[in-house]
Amino acid sequence: MQNSTWRSAPSKSSFLGPVFLNHHYCSKLIIHSTGRLSRRREKRGEREWAVRAMPCSSINTTSSSADDNGALRAFKLSESTFLASLMPKKEIAADRFVEAHPEYDGRGVVIAIFDSGVDPAAAGLQVTSDGKPKILDVLDCTGSGDIDTSTVVKADSDGCIRGASGASLVVNSSWKNPSGEWHVGYKFVYELFTNTLTSRLKKERLKKWDEKHQEAIAEAVKNLDEFDQKHIKVEDAQLKLAREDLQNKVDFLRKQAESYNDKGPIIDAVVWNDGELWRVALDTQSLEDDPVCGKLADFVPLTNYRIERKFGVFSKLDACSFVVNVYDQGNILSIVTDCSAHGTHVAGIATAFHPKEPLLNGVAPGAQIISCKIGDSRLGSMETGTGLTRALIAAVEHKCDLINMSYGEPTMLPDYGRFVDLVNEVVNKHHLIFVSSAGNNGPALSTVGSPGGTTSSIIGVGAYVSPAMAAGAHCVLEPPSEGLEYTWSSRGPTVDGDLGVCISAPGGAVAPVPTWTLQRRMLMNGTSMASPSACGGIALLISAMKAEGIPVSPYSVQKALENTAVPVGSLPEDKLSTGQGLMQVDKAYGYIQKSQDFPNVWYQIKVNEAGKSTTTTSRGIYLREASRCRQSTEWTVLVEPKFHEDASNLEQLVPFEECIELHSTEKAIVRAPEYLLLTHNGRSFNVIVDPTNLSDGLHYYEICGIDCKAPWRGPLFRIPVTITKPMAVKNQPPIVSFSGMTFLPGHIERKYIEVPLGASWVEATMRTSGFDTARRFFVDTLQISPLQRPIKWERVVTFSFPTAKNFTFAVEGGQTMELAIAQFWSSGIGSHEATNVDFEIAFHGININKEEVVLDGSEAPVRIDAKALLSSEKLAPAAVLNKVRVPYRPIEAKLRTLPTDRDKLPSGKQILALTLTYKFKLEDGAEIKPQIPLLNNRIYDTKFESQFYMISDTNKRIYAMGDVYPNSSKFPMGEYNLMLHLRHDNVQFLEKMKQLVLFIERNLEDKALFWPNEYFFQNVMIMSSVKDLHNDEAVRLSFFSQPDGPIMGNGAFKSSVLVPGAKESFYVGPPNKDRLPKNISEGSVLVGAISYGVLSFGAEEGGKNPQKNPMSYQICYLVPPNKADEDKGKGSSPSCTKSVSERLEEEVRDVKIKILGSLKHGTDEELSEWRKLAASLKSEYPKHTPLLAKILEGLVSEGNAEDKIFHNQEVIDAANEVVCSIDRDELAKYFSLKSDPEDEEAEKMKKKMETTRDQLAEALYQKGLALAEIESLEKGEKAPAAEGTKDADKTDDQSAAESTQPDLFEENFKELKKWVDIKSSRYGTLWVVRERRRGRLGTALKVLIDMIQDDGEPPKKKLYELKLSLIDDIGWVHLASYEREWMHVRFPPRLPLF
């Protein structure tokens, strides 16, 4: 692992968190050698992070006096300056402002923290500086902590209720409950905990469980050893069975140790109304070591947090605090925990108050907050559309002044989408100020993410590091002489030309974290930290504005911030990194005071290229491609003043008129009119941009609109003009070299290259020299293509010594590529040697006529035309089909109005939910992923609100959950339901989606690695890693030089050399029908990859596997209809020998039996009708075996009979009637002979006799179960384990001598053994019962486990209940507790809430 920040994969959300985190915060943390917490991240490719506890002592380093942006020069840190650097405030002048205005420290301001949740127990988050509650409300907006508490129970005479988990709970008699109704539900506590906390608890629980388990193993081994010592030579059959039983116990215990998989404790929740408020109590005994702790009756009831502001802690071991909220009249309980430490850290930066440690206060210690958890615990901590929408609703409901959101992701459509629309309403109508992180995906340009860096109504914040922060918080040996933007901070402009980053703020801090981390503070850095720093600074401004009666407007505040910020860097293009600069609270305050009489206006900018369609507009001018830089272009700019929705037409809109001077920062390049008279309806003007005389590289300009009457106000609006003039590649072969580049810490080199037409991949080499200590570089390339997220390739490379490294990556020909090379800001900072870098890029490409190859299911191949335009290339095509996509339509669609106020928009509209149900079946175990092409891979740049899916088996066990970024998950064979939950307030949108097509994508894998059943899945496959899964079934395709090649089998095409300009053609053939996956249906699609070129680096691997090739394309095969049944219509049945009347009589009889089988007997009336018909038919057909078998089946299904002994006797009598109706001698005689499979009549007879044998076996089986149950009921209890162990070495003869009664069970068992394999899963339960009767519980367990493993159907609850009862009988308490937890996993009573 690297020793600092990691980079992300370019394909998905890539700037807001760690590679292995299941969220995407705008956080960047330095990885240290101690105190590291890491989390899984499987789909978004965010940056990796870790954390470090606050240093316990100050350090000496060289620094100096501060200037406006926090620069330090040559001074030694004192304890106070060190502590101040841990929570930076000086950089934005917040410390000076609060010192001058101590009452303007955020008092009267409420901030909504949209994040992973805030811990109300965290240090510094209890009260404000003026003694008010710090946290006003804590909400889980995602629903991940929701519990279905719609089940209502009443207490018995002893004050006990039955919890949803099945536990008996004692209710505290002092709790008021006028209705006497108790709502109950339960939750696996791990579902409420972070992965880090869960891992810690699992280690603790495993340690305790293992101690008990080792005791059980030791006892079992001891019993076996004692038996061996007592019976040195075992020859008696029964003694052998006794020893086998002891050995089976030992084996079972050892296997359990290997397959242990802790699903966590279960907590019972009880909700009731005390006449005034909804109250909540939890039973957390399963979390406690002491059985007297955690009882429901001892719980201090909680209510919705905003009412009493109280929270609980699950247990001392987890140290995890939580709050509760009750919705829908007690039917939904929300238990709110955080899904990572991120949100608490963010809240602490903005508002923490430490009266004894004021230097560690947050920026606005007087401000209050509400915590809106938008990170879904079910998804690790990924935000969801549901969470985002509910958070906005809550912010408006609580009349918040500010929103901070340190989440986001790349987007293909800036300033667009459902969430952006809602944000605009919140800002423009309700005057909330929205602050968000710009992202951590730099240093390349156009890497700002949504929503923070791409939304006009949001203040996007970049991350800045000062010398003091470097020396103190980061503990670097020699801090930089001046402050700078963190290397990884995302840069502008947006793809539509907006600046992207508005301002910068300190991007690192040591701030409070949740108590479950077992520490008070932690160092994190990222734009996630810069955003709350800026938000806290804005809270100071709002505090002052409210105190002085100045109207608060997002428009005026943003203008003040941007026009008073201190520039970071001296070049115009530095604004693309830092925005207008480092915010300054005191200067912004002065600006607000001076401009308070001016109207609060936001100037919306719309830019169109003259002569082109106006359907799409931009917010700036961005000339990136070579063709745009070769001539002048004319642009039409429309400036529209926007007032808040509550502005008065007559008093504000009509009088508005401003004389604007338009100022270009470089008139030779960007020309605009000199003046503009602007009214409320807006005004347009033309701009001419002439980049023809510019040098290659990056150039940035602005057109500023200045108030002629008050030029001190600074720019009222800015039109950004960004020009990246690329260099042309003229060499042949096309190779570009950048030699002699010199790097110091934080230095960035940007090169812009016009990728030659025909290029599709790059092979690059980076050589370093001239340094001593290790150097760390970020290497990014980025291209922009319409309606796509920026195409980004990135690497973090560490050079321990001067050497060369090679890279390969895909490019798009004809598009400008930025190459950004940056030495990490703190890399080599203690060394005085510069790093010399040479970077060489070689362009390669094979142009083809089909970017996506579609094989239509016929036998015809597809022709591919290939051409090399740049230089000679080796053509060696490779193609593989390694996934199957099967389309499904929903079998059910339910549309409903969501019942709670948390789903009512500020406009008053109630959100609707559409739930679609899909069914699919897996014939073998597989790794699958659901895909919804319309909705996947977009959170912000979509007009749909949200989606969430759950996949469950027929037992309602959840196997997978997901949202816009579905994950692959392993599934055993079986039938599954996928429920998709869609939300929107527009019913027409949802109506159109009632037949939404969904694909189940399955990896083609080795059949030897399928999961035969759930038990195997739990106990074996949980120990298998993904690397064990081989795509052995993947279908490799062949290539031909002739169109008849696939049929004739000749003319194979392997490889050739493409000469520039010459075209070569070949064919890719369809897959061999025999190689297609089994059970694949018509309409399915096989999907894979095809590549054409061979790499110089790693040529062997890239040539054989197209997925390893940086330039591969999609290939798919449409599965045709199955071949016609060859046997269909063959032959015909011989004429029937029975008369018409006989056949009619049989048909009538069979119909009567069918009707009997279809009758329900759930009620007494239905049961009575069934019994009458059964008796009538039995008198009519007394010896007809199928009828008697159907009657037996009906009796067995009556599982709720009150008189169990009578009911079982009825089953025995019915089974005897079936047995007596069958001529067993004739049956035995038949099966002793072989039948001719080609004789149709013989085959019919065989089928009939097999059916009769199965009916006989079923009767004997049910009779045996009934005999055993009667025996158990008459004894009043099951056979104790102690007796079984004590009498284990008795022979059957000795046991039989003790009873003069015949053993009916044993006689029946022996009869059943004659006809079927008693070890099969169908009849094995009787064998288990037999072993249990004989006290051989270990053998009974082994037989039962074998049955479960061999059972190809979904897990049967009865088998697992039997397993649990056997474990109880043996006395393994710890295993019984473990199995009970798993019972709730395998057989939940209902599906969880969305």
Side-chain angles (χ1 to χ4, degrees), residues 1256-1277:
L1256 172 63
E1258 180 65 16
L1260 293 170
Y1261 173 70
Q1262 295 298 341
K1263 178 182 177 181
L1265 292 179
L1267 286 168
E1269 188 168 356
I1270 289 176
E1271 181 182 278
S1272 175
L1273 291 169
E1274 288 177 343
K1275 287 183 178 179
E1277 58 182 8

Side-chain angles (χ1 to χ4, degrees), residues 887-892 915-920 932 950 952 976-980 982 993-1000:
Y888 293 89
R889 285 197 185 272
I891 62 167
E892 184 180 59
T915 303
L916 303 176
T917 302
Y918 302 80
K919 283 187 178 293
F920 65 94
I932 311 164
M950 299 179 186
S952 60
Y976 295 92
N977 290 334
L978 186 150
M979 298 184 71
L980 177 64
L982 306 172
M993 301 174 77
K994 283 188 172 181
Q995 289 299 316
L996 185 68
V997 173
L998 172 144
F999 289 91
I1000 297 295

Side-chain angles (χ1 to χ4, degrees), residues 879-953:
V880 62
L881 300 171
N882 57 4
K883 297 180 188 298
V884 180
R885 288 182 186 159
V886 182
Y888 293 89
R889 285 197 185 272
I891 62 167
E892 184 180 59
K894 290 184 178 180
L895 183 64
R896 69 186 183 101
T897 302
L898 295 173
T900 64
D901 287 341
R902 62 177 174 170
D903 293 313
K904 180 181 286 187
L905 295 170
S907 63
K909 290 185 178 179
Q910 195 76 28
I911 296 173
L912 308 171
L914 174 65
T915 303
L916 303 176
T917 302
Y918 302 80
K919 283 187 178 293
F920 65 94
K921 183 177 182 180
L922 297 177
E923 298 294 339
D924 293 310
E927 186 173 347
I928 68 167
K929 176 169 70 174
Q931 290 192 332
I932 311 164
L934 176 67
L935 302 175
N936 285 162
N937 304 320
R938 294 184 294 153
I939 290 182
Y940 298 102
D941 48 352
T942 174
K943 289 293 184 178
F944 299 103
E945 180 176 305
S946 68
Q947 57 185 283
F948 199 92
Y949 69 84
M950 299 179 186
I951 304 179
S952 60
D953 64 9

Side-chain angles (χ1 to χ4, degrees), residues 758-1053:
S760 53
W761 80 89
V762 158
E763 297 179 4
T765 301
M766 181 176 178
R767 296 181 179 86
T768 58
S769 61
F771 61 94
D772 47 10
T773 58
R775 295 292 190 271
R776 194 153 168 268
F777 284 87
F778 284 18
V779 183
D780 287 3
T781 67
L782 186 137
Q783 293 182 282
I784 294 176
S785 195
L787 294 180
Q788 292 184 44
R789 291 179 176 178
I791 305 167
K792 190 166 186 282
W793 172 88
E794 58 187 1
R795 286 293 182 273
V796 177
V797 189
T798 299
F799 292 89
S800 301
F801 51 84
T803 186
K805 293 184 183 290
N806 298 321
F807 315 105
T808 60
F809 50 88
V811 292
E812 188 171 320
Q815 301 290 111
T816 295
M817 180 186 78
E818 176 187 5
L819 169 66
I821 307 172
Q823 186 169 322
F824 190 63
W825 73 271
S826 62
S827 176
I829 207 165
S831 170
H832 298 283
E833 293 183 338
T835 310
N836 298 318
V837 174
D838 298 332
F839 204 96
E840 182 180 275
I841 296 175
F843 291 99
H844 296 264
I846 296 178
N847 278 50
I848 55 171
N849 62 328
K850 290 180 172 60
E851 287 205 354
E852 181 176 349
V853 179
V854 178
L855 298 163
D856 59 12
S858 71
E859 285 68 29
V862 172
R863 193 187 81 250
I864 306 292
D865 299 331
K867 186 190 301 183
L869 300 181
L870 304 176
S871 59
S872 295
E873 299 285 355
K874 183 176 181 181
L875 175 64
V880 62
L881 300 171
N882 57 4
K883 297 180 188 298
V884 180
R885 288 182 186 159
V886 182
Y888 293 89
R889 285 197 185 272
I891 62 167
E892 184 180 59
K894 290 184 178 180
L895 183 64
R896 69 186 183 101
T897 302
L898 295 173
T900 64
D901 287 341
R902 62 177 174 170
D903 293 313
K904 180 181 286 187
L905 295 170
S907 63
K909 290 185 178 179
Q910 195 76 28
I911 296 173
L912 308 171
L914 174 65
T915 303
L916 303 176
T917 302
Y918 302 80
K919 283 187 178 293
F920 65 94
K921 183 177 182 180
L922 297 177
E923 298 294 339
D924 293 310
E927 186 173 347
I928 68 167
K929 176 169 70 174
Q931 290 192 332
I932 311 164
L934 176 67
L935 302 175
N936 285 162
N937 304 320
R938 294 184 294 153
I939 290 182
Y940 298 102
D941 48 352
T942 174
K943 289 293 184 178
F944 299 103
E945 180 176 305
S946 68
Q947 57 185 283
F948 199 92
Y949 69 84
M950 299 179 186
I951 304 179
S952 60
D953 64 9
T954 53
N955 291 319
K956 300 185 179 66
R957 175 181 174 180
I958 298 295
Y959 277 84
M961 295 182 177
D963 68 335
V964 296
Y965 294 100
N967 279 327
S968 294
S969 302
K970 300 174 188 175
F971 287 75
M973 63 183 292
E975 295 182 355
Y976 295 92
N977 290 334
L978 186 150
M979 298 184 71
L980 177 64
H981 190 70
L982 306 172
R983 293 163 40 105
H984 207 283
D985 63 304
N986 190 316
V987 67
Q988 293 180 343
F989 291 169
L990 296 178
E991 286 285 352
K992 291 178 180 179
M993 301 174 77
K994 283 188 172 181
Q995 289 299 316
L996 185 68
V997 173
L998 172 144
F999 289 91
I1000 297 295
E1001 183 179 275
R1002 176 170 63 90
N1003 293 336
L1004 296 180
E1005 296 172 325
D1006 190 345
K1007 291 284 185 179
L1009 289 176
F1010 75 97
W1011 296 263
N1013 53 55
E1014 187 274 345
Y1015 180 86
F1016 187 73
F1017 179 72
Q1018 174 203 338
N1019 291 299
V1020 179
M1021 290 314 299
I1022 56 173
M1023 297 180 288
S1024 298
S1025 63
V1026 176
K1027 68 181 181 182
D1028 295 323
L1029 301 176
H1030 307 286
N1031 290 333
D1032 290 348
E1033 276 195 36
V1035 181
R1036 294 197 172 274
L1037 301 180
S1038 299
F1039 297 88
F1040 303 91
S1041 56
Q1042 301 169 0
D1044 299 323
I1047 300 297
M1048 306 300 294
N1050 58 1
F1053 182 88

